[in-house]
Structure formats: C-alpha cells, structure tokens
Amino acid sequence: MPQTLPDFSNSVKLKYVKLGYQYLVNHILYLLLVPIMVAILIEVLRLGPDEILNLWKSLHFDLVQILCSSFLIIFIATVYFMSKPRHVYLVDYACYKPPVTCRVPFATFMEHSRLILKNNPKSVEFQMRILERSGLGEETCLPPAIHYIPPTPTMEAARGEAELVIFSAMDSLLQKTGLKPKDIDILIVNCSLFSPTPSLSAMVINKYKLRSNIKSFNLSGMGCSAGLISIDLARDLLQVHPNSNAVVVSTEIITPNYYQGNERAMLLPNCLFRMGGAAILLSNRRRNRSRAKYRLVHVVRTHKGADDKAYRCVFEEEDKEGKVGISLSKDLMAIAGEALKSNITTIGPLVLPASEQLLFLMTLIGRKIFNPKWKPYIPDFKQAFEHFCIHAGGRAVIDELQKNLQLSAEHVEASRMTLHRFGNTSSSSLWYEMSYIEEKGRMKKGDRVWQIAFGSGFKCNSAVWKCNKTIKTTTDNPWSDCIDRYPVHIPEIVKL
Amino acid sequence: MGDQKSRVNVHSVLTQVSSRPSASDETYPLTRLDHAMGHHTIHVIFYYEKSPFGSFDMDPIRVTLSEVLSSYPPVTGRLTRDDAGNWAVKCNDAGVRVLRARVGITLDEWLRSADGNEERDLTVWEDMPEVPNTWSPFRIQLNDFEGGGVAIGLSCTHMHGDLTSLILLFKAFSEAHHGQAITFPPFFKPPAPPDRKFSVNNSKSTSYLEAKLQKQTPSVKMSTATFKFSDSVVKQCLSEIHDKCPDASPFDLLAALFWIRVVHLKGPKHDDHTHSLSLCVDFRRLLQEPLPYGYFGNALNFSLLSLNEEEMDCSMLGRVAELVHCHVSGLKEEEFWATLHWLDLQKEEGGKYAPPFAMYGPEFTCVSMEHMIIGDQPVMYSMNFDSAKPVHVSCHVGNAEGEGLILVMPSAEAGLARTVMVTLPEEETAKLCEDQSILHLKPTMLLRSI
C-alpha cells in the first residue's frame, strides 16, 4: 500500500505541474503585459497630473507631422486588411443516404462471394476473414449492379450510380442551404476511379443548368484524400474570386471497380469500399458569415510520392488473368504512419498551443544535442482540437491513428461508427463523420475539428475547421434513423 | 413433337435483401409437418396486365419489398441443420433470389397459347443442393411480357410453408406498396397440441399416412390444364344437385365432378376395387385455438375418401358431392394432431425426423383453397397493384406424382366462380379437355396444349 501512494501523488503533482506550465506558456504575453501595465500605472500616479500635462505641452505637434502619421497608420491598416486572406466559410453540407435495397448484409456478401469465386475457396476464406475483422456493420450499401450474380458493371450502370449519388446529395444540399443553381460560381467534383467523358462535373452542370461562366473542375485518380484536395482548391479559388459560392462534390463510384478476379491483395477493397457521397457548399460572401456552420482555418497537404515504396503501396494494375484491381501492399500501415508524421510536423506549429510547441522543441534539441535516446515527445493534439475526423479507411487505420495521437475512444467514435454504418465511402467518409458528431449534439461554437485523410500516392491531407455556431440536431441527414442506436460496441471478430 | 425451346428467357439473377437487419443468430426451427412436406415444392404465379416494377433497379416498389421482407425473417434466411440433424432456418438476412426474364409474346397470347408445362418456366424449379447454406429457398421470378404485362412467380420448398403462406406473403407486399396495413400479418409460432392424448391407431389420417409411406409410384410425364367455371354455371349446377346435397360448396361439386370424370377416363382398375380420393384441407381455422391466417408454415391435412367400384359406376354427381361434403365437414382437429403425433413417432434416434415421402399422391389428390375466400372476396385476387387486380393466378406443386393432382381455387370473378387446375398424365389430360360432362359447364380453358 505505501508503495502505490507515492506514485499516485506523484502523478497528481505532475498533472498540476503540467497544467501550470501550460497556462504559463500559453498566456505568456498576457502575463508579461500585466506587470508592464502595473509599472506604467505606478509611474503615472507618481508623476501626478501636472507633470503629465507639462510632458504633453512639450511635444510640439506640427500639422504636417500629424497628417503624415495618420496617413501612415491608415496606409498600414489598409495594406493589412487587403492582404489578409479571405475567410472561407462552410455554409452547409449534405451526405447521401443509399436506399435500403442496396444494403449488403454479411451473409449476402459471403454468399455472392462463394457463388462467384466457386473455384477459389481460399479467396473466399480470405474475404470472410477480412469481413469479420473489418469493423463494418450489416447496413453498409453497394450499388445495384453489384447485387447481380455475377455483377454487371457496365458504363451505363456506373453512370446510373453516379447520377443517383451525386444528384441526391446536390438536391439535399440545395434544399438545406436555399442555394439557387445559378448562384454557383465554382464547381469541383472528385471521384477517383470513374472518369467518363464528358466529366462528372459536366453531368452536374447539365442536370442543374448551371451558368455558362462557371469555373468547373473534375479531379480523378487522387484517391481517398481527394475530398480535402478539392476543399484546398476551392479555398484557393475563393481567394481569387470575391463574393463567390463554391460547391464541392466528393464521391466514389463503386460499380466499375468491383474486382472480379481472385488475387487476394486486390480482393480487400471489395470488402471495405461502399456507396456514399457528399456535397459541400463553401462561400466567401459576407452574408453567409452568420449562417455558416464552419470556417476553414488550415489545409495541409503532404505527398510522399517521391518515395518509391509509398508510390506503389496502393496501385491499380492487372492481375495474372488480366482483370484490373487495386492492389494494397503489406506495408501500407507503416507508410501511412510516415505520411502522418510528415503532416503533423507541418500542421503542429500552426495549431498547437505554445506550451506543446516549446516542449516539442526542447525535446528535439535535447535529442539532437544531449542524448539521442530520449523518447521523442508526441505533442498532445487533444489540446488543439475538440473533435477528430479520421478517414474511415479501415479498422487498422483508425487503430493506428488512435495509438499514434494518443486519442481516447470518444475522439475516434465518429470514425469507428461511420465505418460501421456506411463502410469506407472514400473521400466522403469525413463528412459522414462530421454529421455524426453534429447529430450527437457535440458540436459547439468555437470547437475546432481536425479532418485527416489518407490516399493513394501516398498522400496525407488535413483540414482544420472552426465551428461558427452551435449546431442543432436535425432530421434530414443520413444518421437520423439510427443515431439513437449508436455508439455500438464493435467486436474484434464478428462471427460469420 | 420434340422439345421446343422455351419462350421464357431468363436474363439476370440478383439478390433482394430486407431493409432492417434481423436479430442476429436467430434460428427458426421447422416443424414436424414442415419436414414431412419436404419432398415437394410450391409455386404461385400472379399475372398482371401492367407491371408495377418500372425501372426495376431503383424503383421504389423494391424498397417496399425490402420492408415487407423485414417482417419475414425466415424468408430471407438459409437452411441449416440443427443439433439433432433436423432442418432449421438461420435468419441471417441473406435475402431472396430474384430472377428477371423476358417473354417474347404478349400476356393475352401467352394465356391462350402456352401450356401448363411451359407455365412452369415462369417460376424457378431448383432442387435443394446437398449443402444449402448459400442456396436461397425463396425465389421470385419477374417475367416481362411484350406490351407491359408481367407474371410474378414465387416459389419455395414446401418445408417453409404452404400455398396459403406464399399467397399471403405476396398480399402483404401489395398492401405495403399502397401504404395499407397488412391484413394478415405474419405469425411464426407453430400450433401447440392441447393436453389431451391422441390415439394414433384408429385415426383415419394416420393409417392413410402409413399406407403412403409404403407406396412407390413410377414417374410419368404429366401435363396441366386450367378450367375456369363462371359464377352462374356453378350456381346452376349447385341448384341441380340441391336435393341430394343441400349444403354443397363449389369445391364439393367440382371435386366430385372431376373425380368421377377422371375415374371414368382411367378405366377399370385391376388390383383393387375401390376408388380413392385424397383431400388436402387447410387446418388454420379448424383448430380449437385457431391459428391466424398469417401463420407462416404448413397447416394442412391429407385424408382419404374411398368409394368402391359399384358405387362409383352408378353414382350421380349429387351423391358423390354429398360424400365429399360430409367428409370435409367431418374433419376434426383430432385428425391433425394425430398426424403430428404419428410423425413424431417416426423420428429416428437422436431426434432426427424421418426422411420425407410424397404427401401429394400416389392417389388422385384434390386440394381445397376454399379457406382463401374470406367474406365474399377471394383473397388470391385481392393483391392490387395500382388498382389492378391480377388477371389470373396459377398454383403448382412440385414432385406431386401419382395418379394426378387437382387444385380448386377461387377465380377473379367473385362469388361461386372457381378455377380448377388439373395435372394428369399427358394422354389423360388431353382426353379430359374433351370430356363432354365438363365441357357442358362451358369452362374457359387457359394454358393448355392445343
């Protein structure tokens, strides 16, 4: 008993020390300002009013001097305000909810797998093991073409899925925000694996009869992190174009990419990727400032493509039988960890409070100069953010990030539950996660959200949002009929 | 005439799932009677002038079908063996198989020109594989005709339910499509015998079952013909036999008529001098604690009515109808429980039920669907899609070998009108279609070979 008490009291003492240190460093400017102000006040009181009046009279004020100084001040103020980057607001977003006929229970998935791969029982076993440990639930959805035995991934079916997902998300967004189609100035659509001619952005322009001078972009091939790349592009465009609305549509069209061979590394995406999409409205108009949900603070993009291993770790190629599929390499997690470290190194100084940055710097200096064996200090990102949206790429990704960033179960709850309910919807999964946090009533004004996405290449992209107003729960979102059942406990292995 | 290529062209297969996940790992055991029916399959075909399935893939009607399937977990499950080696349904939501087919002619042309055997192509006839864990016992086939008509064919193993269950499942679907409450909601608790003991030995049904167990029938090529009798004709006929049989129902009349004619057709029997008719009656409402109509499972009973040769030869229609009527109205629930008790006694060591044998046959079997007329309305014709009733409904029973099978079903025309589907060896069906006593009643003939 006496042994444990000192440890406990030590950790309590340490906690208070840490808190004191953080308070000191983060508010150093205020803490320095207070004694200075006190000193001035004492000096003023000591001098007395007459002395001060004499001091004032001794300053000879010339008209020219006054005018020049005031012009200088006005000039500096103008330059400052003009060069400040425009604030980009996220007015609202809408996520797509697939119809119940597209649902894929585990039993249906495994049955189709057995019927289609009947000559490869080992591949079927592999898929079953992946599905058991995937963290997906029984309500994830695949497009109609995949429900056929065998699947019918025609171009028509792929276009059908694209129209269904994108138009539903757009309709929902237009209704939520009251935006008129002719008011859309910038349109960015990202879909990695399906890129028809004319592009998906042309498809949206055709359906909604958008203006002829719209700035439209279609990003394809950029993987699951393309959603944040689109947001970055929209932000850059909104700096150049004042008073504009930008719509970003993030989706992944599953129909043409369902792998029909039996190479194991390529069967993995079949088990995880599911139907989903999101449409987001960004704006730099002043009048949207009061009704916007979030303000975009930072976007940090890191690309590890210069490294060969990182470049090849998610690779689309043909298997031995000539069937095209996406091959995931075994060191995916290690490469993701590296990419994350890179990203954190860039984003850390932008978001971390001074206390954490100082600690990190001291540990870094110490490791370099004094003793390389010191443990590297992992900054505590929980102090910089209230909410985390980690791309629901798979259970392993979420577990890895939870460990690396030392996050609690509640922080990664949005990611895990999105993976369970919707599966890996690629670039739109971050928006389902945001929606989850909002529907749980956890999003308050001033909260900071960190969205992290990984993608082929290998890329790690982050976006930081600041909540503009406390968000009330609504009924027109994909979680409305099931939010009460969440969070659920997801077992390590689901018995199939 | 050689085997002509079927005009029904199946072009895709997919799986339709339920909208809500069922409670996990629930296993729904099948009853003794379900196991006993395992030799057969059931098929029901609903013909509509206008298909309610529009674009198909994204049609909202498929969402209602998913919703309805959520209320029937055993329908979307898969067969598995329990510890005793008996069949049970694992409610794992795997879904039902849906097949889509195209027929190159219009609906009217089909009803005129197709024969009973070709009609079989409108539903799925698949044998249960050895290991049925990836095999869907329920299958829906949507056959699109030229000009917009559709034939919706449902099929399943007789172990899962009887014709009544399948028809009421479809009715629930049509009601859900129109946002109406389901008239006969599904009920999955099998009937429990009351506490009284039943003697097995002198029960009519059980001795009949013993006999069935022994018989083997050679399989003969059968064909089907459909006869539609109008309300006025049946009414007139009933009034003709009123003196002999005052309470006759259309079933009694038609069963008697067809029995007499078929016996006449088959000619004199060599081995024994009795003529037997096996009657299959639904027991849902005949039990003391009535089962709801929505009971999803088998609730029927087979019993035997015998007449010796002399009686048959000189019998009038009225007399035979009277005998059928007395037999059917005399059926008591003791028969049903005694059958179940007998099936229990046939269990092998370890509690495994005996392998199934042919329940329909080997005698000439007659199935009554009178219970499907509730009030004055035939339930079979009440599943409307967009306010259109089905043009025609056919039922088939698979592996019903033996002397023949006749199904007396309600017609689209309400009241006393009936549709009779007769399955006999090929030559006999052809002769029956020309039989004067039947033609005297001016039936509309559908789906027979010309």
Side-chain angles (χ1 to χ4, degrees):
Chain A
M1 274 309 257
Q3 288 290 45
T4 55
L5 269 174
D7 289 336
F8 174 67
S9 69
N10 263 350
S11 72
V12 166
K13 281 193 194 125
L14 205 65
K15 191 174 111 179
Y16 282 117
V17 164
K18 208 163 186 250
L19 270 174
Y21 161 74
Q22 281 168 2
Y23 199 73
L24 178 72
V25 177
N26 291 339
H27 299 103
I28 192 99
L29 284 174
Y30 298 118
L31 292 173
L32 282 177
L33 201 62
V34 165
I36 291 173
M37 284 185 64
V38 165
I40 292 176
L41 193 67
I42 291 170
E43 190 60 32
V44 161
L45 287 173
R46 196 170 59 85
L47 283 178
D50 295 326
E51 288 273 350
I52 292 172
L53 220 56
N54 285 342
L55 207 63
W56 182 257
K57 283 197 181 123
S58 68
L59 289 170
H60 297 284
F61 280 124
D62 208 345
L63 190 64
V64 175
Q65 273 182 337
I66 294 172
L67 271 174
C68 281
S69 337
S70 41
F71 273 136
L72 190 66
I73 292 170
I74 291 170
F75 179 69
I76 291 173
T78 313
V79 167
Y80 172 69
F81 281 114
M82 290 295 278
S83 65
K84 212 163 72 129
R86 279 183 238 272
H87 278 168
V88 172
Y89 296 102
L90 190 160
V91 179
D92 207 343
Y93 62 94
C95 296
Y96 172 65
K97 183 166 176 211
V100 286
T101 45
C102 294
R103 187 170 86 91
V104 181
F106 290 150
T108 317
F109 185 86
M110 286 318 305
E111 194 172 283
H112 280 226
S113 190
R114 283 208 174 91
L115 290 169
I116 295 164
L117 296 172
K118 48 178 162 312
N119 299 324
N120 288 285
K122 280 218 169 73
S123 300
V124 175
E125 280 305 307
F126 175 75
Q127 281 199 309
M128 186 155 94
R129 280 203 305 277
I130 296 294
L131 203 59
E132 282 174 350
R133 292 164 176 76
S134 61
L136 264 67
E138 298 256 19
E139 293 180 270
T140 61
C141 296
L142 279 173
I146 310 297
H147 288 262
Y148 283 79
I149 302 170
T152 54
T154 57
M155 179 120 196
E156 195 189 331
R159 275 230 170 89
E161 185 194 341
E163 285 176 6
L164 177 68
V165 175
I166 296 176
F167 295 167
S168 305
M170 281 289 291
D171 288 339
S172 185
L173 180 71
L174 294 176
Q175 202 219 353
K176 272 179 159 180
T177 54
L179 180 71
K180 291 198 201 18
K182 64 172 174 59
D183 289 335
I184 300 176
D185 305 292
I186 299 163
L187 173 69
I188 305 171
V189 177
N190 74 269
C191 170
S192 187
L193 296 165
F194 179 54
S195 182
T197 298
S199 64
L200 294 175
S201 57
M203 186 175 87
V204 174
I205 293 170
N206 170 260
K207 162 85 174 170
Y208 292 95
K209 312 287 179 241
L210 304 181
R211 295 198 322 252
S212 57
N213 63 348
I214 192 170
K215 309 241 172 327
S216 72
F217 298 86
N218 193 82
L219 299 175
S220 72
M222 301 194 89
C224 301
S225 57
L228 293 182
I229 297 176
S230 307
I231 300 281
D232 187 39
L233 179 60
R235 181 187 64 159
D236 289 343
L237 286 166
L238 287 171
Q239 301 304 324
V240 177
H241 300 286
N243 240 5
S244 303
N245 286 327
V247 171
V248 172
V249 179
S250 290
T251 183
E252 190 56 70
I253 303 301
I254 314 275
T255 305
N257 305 299
Y258 202 74
Y259 177 61
Q260 303 210 52
N262 45 55
E263 188 67 44
R264 280 188 222 178
M266 298 184 179
L267 281 171
L268 199 68
N270 282 5
C271 301
L272 300 176
F273 280 87
R274 296 289 182 263
M275 217 172 149
I280 303 110
L281 174 60
L282 298 169
S283 177
N284 58 11
R285 290 189 184 178
R286 283 210 96 102
R287 77 174 101 104
N288 285 327
R289 205 194 328 191
S290 53
R291 69 174 184 134
K293 277 186 173 175
Y294 302 93
R295 181 170 68 81
L296 181 58
V297 182
H298 299 291
V299 177
V300 174
R301 291 167 60 176
T302 318
H303 205 305
K304 301 301 267 177
D307 174 43
D308 284 341
K309 261 186 32 187
Y311 171 66
R312 288 203 72 96
C313 89
V314 178
F315 211 77
E316 188 182 13
E317 59 192 350
E318 282 154 349
D319 66 7
K320 289 191 273 285
E321 293 163 15
K323 297 205 173 98
V324 176
I326 300 164
S327 161
L328 301 175
S329 94
K330 288 199 172 39
D331 18 273
L332 182 62
M333 293 314 335
I335 291 167
E338 283 300 315
L340 178 70
K341 273 205 193 70
S342 246
N343 195 289
I344 287 178
T345 316
T346 317
I347 204 174
L350 294 173
V351 296
L352 286 169
S355 53
E356 292 296 314
Q357 296 199 41
L358 201 60
L359 269 177
F360 181 69
L361 188 66
M362 306 273 272
T363 329
L364 193 67
I365 294 171
R367 285 188 74 206
K368 284 258 174 345
I369 296 174
F370 299 122
N371 183 3
K373 285 209 175 58
W374 275 8
K375 259 188 2 198
Y377 180 68
I378 301 167
D380 186 9
F381 281 91
K382 299 194 280 292
Q383 289 190 39
F385 301 107
E386 278 72 41
H387 307 288
F388 296 80
C389 292
I390 302 167
H391 166 57
R395 200 187 204 151
V397 170
I398 303 174
D399 289 341
E400 186 72 21
L401 258 78
Q402 185 179 10
K403 199 176 64 161
N404 281 345
L405 299 173
Q406 294 166 344
L407 301 175
S408 72
E410 200 182 313
H411 286 125
V412 294
E413 188 185 303
S415 310
R416 285 200 200 281
M417 296 307 126
T418 300
L419 183 64
H420 184 265
R421 174 64 182 83
F422 294 99
N424 177 353
T425 57
S426 186
S427 38
S428 49
S429 64
L430 297 169
W431 301 105
Y432 286 99
E433 293 171 23
M434 287 271 258
S435 188
Y436 178 86
I437 300 172
E438 289 177 9
E439 289 312 308
K440 278 289 187 189
R442 294 178 192 163
M443 197 63 85
K444 307 271 183 292
K445 177 169 173 156
D447 280 357
R448 294 154 298 174
V449 186
W450 186 15
Q451 287 184 326
I452 314 172
F454 295 98
S456 60
F458 196 81
K459 302 188 270 292
C460 176
N461 297 334
S462 306
V464 178
W465 302 90
K466 193 169 166 110
C467 183
N468 205 31
K469 56 173 186 167
T470 302
I471 296 172
K472 293 194 277 280
T473 60
T474 59
T475 47
D476 58 348
N477 66 84
W479 293 96
S480 56
D481 63 345
C482 60
I483 193 75
D484 298 321
R485 283 190 268 130
Y486 283 92
V488 292
H489 168 69
I490 304 172
E492 269 301 311
I493 302 177
V494 175
K495 188 75 189 66
L496 281 185
Chain B
M1 190 159 66
D3 256 319
Q4 126 196 54
K5 199 164 161 6
S6 174
R7 291 185 280 185
V8 178
N9 183 18
V10 176
H11 58 80
S12 13
V13 180
L14 62 128
T15 306
Q16 172 102 14
V17 297
S18 57
S19 63
R20 283 185 304 278
S22 67
S24 55
D25 290 342
E26 225 175 63
T27 311
Y28 175 70
L30 294 174
T31 66
R32 298 158 278 197
L33 186 56
D34 292 333
H35 277 81
M37 304 301 295
H39 189 65
H40 301 284
T41 56
I42 42 174
H43 308 257
V44 185
I45 304 166
F46 296 88
Y47 292 89
Y48 287 88
E49 291 235 288
K50 190 165 161 310
S51 175
F53 288 85
S55 59
F56 190 72
D57 272 336
M58 282 291 135
D59 208 285
I61 197 175
R62 287 194 56 202
V63 177
T64 17
L65 182 56
S66 286
E67 296 283 347
V68 169
L69 288 174
S70 302
S71 311
Y72 291 82
V75 172
T76 50
R78 293 289 177 264
L79 285 169
T80 179
R81 293 242 185 226
D82 67 10
D83 297 324
N86 291 324
W87 289 116
V89 179
K90 184 159 183 223
C91 299
N92 61 5
D93 287 341
V96 304
R97 240 13 124 232
V98 174
L99 283 82
R100 296 180 61 200
R102 209 166 284 122
V103 188
I105 52 175
T106 63
L107 178 61
D108 293 323
E109 234 183 277
W110 173 270
L111 289 173
R112 268 200 312 274
S113 67
D115 66 18
N117 282 343
E118 215 180 351
E119 199 189 25
R120 288 166 59 118
D121 291 333
L122 292 178
T123 61
V124 184
W125 295 72
E126 246 175 39
D127 290 322
M128 187 164 83
E130 278 291 318
V131 183
N133 59 356
T134 56
W135 182 74
S136 173
F138 278 82
R139 290 137 311 194
I140 302 175
Q141 184 164 325
L142 298 168
N143 305 280
D144 293 308
F145 290 95
E146 293 290 316
V150 73
I152 303 173
L154 284 85
S155 56
C156 73
T157 63
H158 217 310
M159 274 206 288
H160 282 78
D162 50 18
L163 286 166
T164 312
S165 314
L166 209 54
I167 290 168
L168 293 179
L169 168 64
F170 193 72
K171 185 168 163 65
F173 172 41
S174 74
E175 286 171 334
H177 181 59
H178 293 287
Q180 296 159 353
I182 296 181
T183 325
F184 303 108
F187 183 79
F188 296 102
K189 197 158 159 294
D195 294 324
R196 312 195 290 280
K197 282 272 182 219
F198 296 102
S199 67
V200 179
N201 293 331
N202 47 8
S203 156
K204 287 187 268 190
S205 300
T206 53
S207 46
Y208 169 43
L209 285 171
E210 288 275 1
K212 259 206 231 275
L213 196 52
Q214 316 300 335
K215 279 197 187 159
Q216 297 278 345
T217 24
S219 70
V220 175
K221 190 153 194 284
M222 312 282 259
S223 70
T224 311
T226 309
F227 301 85
K228 271 169 78 158
F229 297 98
S230 69
D231 180 55
S232 48
V233 158
V234 173
K235 215 177 261 178
Q236 191 191 4
C237 241
L238 283 174
S239 62
E240 279 169 18
I241 61 165
H242 189 79
D243 50 342
K244 284 276 170 57
C245 183
D247 299 316
S249 69
F251 170 72
D252 302 324
L253 168 73
L254 292 166
L257 171 67
F258 276 87
W259 188 19
I260 295 172
R261 299 320 305 161
V262 167
V263 161
H264 186 76
L265 270 176
K266 284 190 192 279
K269 289 177 88 151
H270 302 289
D271 42 355
D272 80 85
H273 298 281
T274 47
H275 295 288
S276 311
L277 179 70
S278 169
L279 287 159
C280 172
V281 173
D282 184 90
F283 254 81
R284 282 176 172 77
R285 309 308 287 175
L286 296 177
L287 298 173
Q288 193 177 37
E289 264 181 60
L291 271 180
Y293 273 103
Y295 169 64
F296 201 85
N298 284 289
L300 20 88
N301 192 51
F302 291 87
S303 52
L304 200 63
L305 174 64
S306 297
L307 284 183
N308 61 29
E309 217 167 345
E310 296 87 44
E311 276 187 318
M312 189 56 115
D313 278 341
C314 59
S315 262
M316 298 286 282
L317 179 58
R319 169 107 174 84
V320 180
E322 172 72 22
L323 285 168
V324 172
H325 178 77
C326 287
H327 181 93
V328 172
S329 36
L331 285 170
K332 296 215 184 350
E333 73 172 300
E334 275 80 15
E335 295 290 328
F336 184 69
W337 298 123
T339 309
L340 293 184
H341 191 56
W342 182 84
L343 286 169
D344 238 348
L345 292 176
Q346 306 306 309
K347 274 201 251 200
E348 289 169 13
E349 271 180 44
K352 189 168 171 193
Y353 294 122
F357 50 90
M359 294 289 267
Y360 291 87
E363 301 80 13
F364 188 62
T365 311
C366 186
V367 178
S368 162
M369 300 288 276
E370 293 295 297
H371 62 285
M372 294 298 285
I373 298 174
I374 297 163
D376 218 6
Q377 288 305 314
V379 171
M380 281 165 78
Y381 284 85
S382 66
M383 13 322 240
N384 299 343
F385 282 101
D386 304 323
S387 333
K389 286 201 298 191
V391 167
H392 179 65
V393 179
S394 294
C395 297
H396 291 261
V397 176
N399 292 333
E401 290 123 16
E403 290 185 21
L405 175 69
I406 128 170
L407 289 139
V408 179
M409 305 179 293
S411 275
E413 193 192 341
L416 302 170
R418 294 289 180 270
T419 303
V420 178
M421 287 187 69
V422 187
T423 307
L424 290 170
E426 265 188 310
E427 318 82 48
E428 291 175 27
T429 318
K431 281 193 235 164
L432 192 70
C433 292
E434 268 133 48
D435 188 283
Q436 283 309 311
S437 326
I438 294 175
L439 291 178
H440 176 65
L441 297 174
K442 295 191 272 295
T444 317
M445 309 270 268
L446 290 173
L447 297 161
R448 58 160 180 137
S449 1
I450 300 161

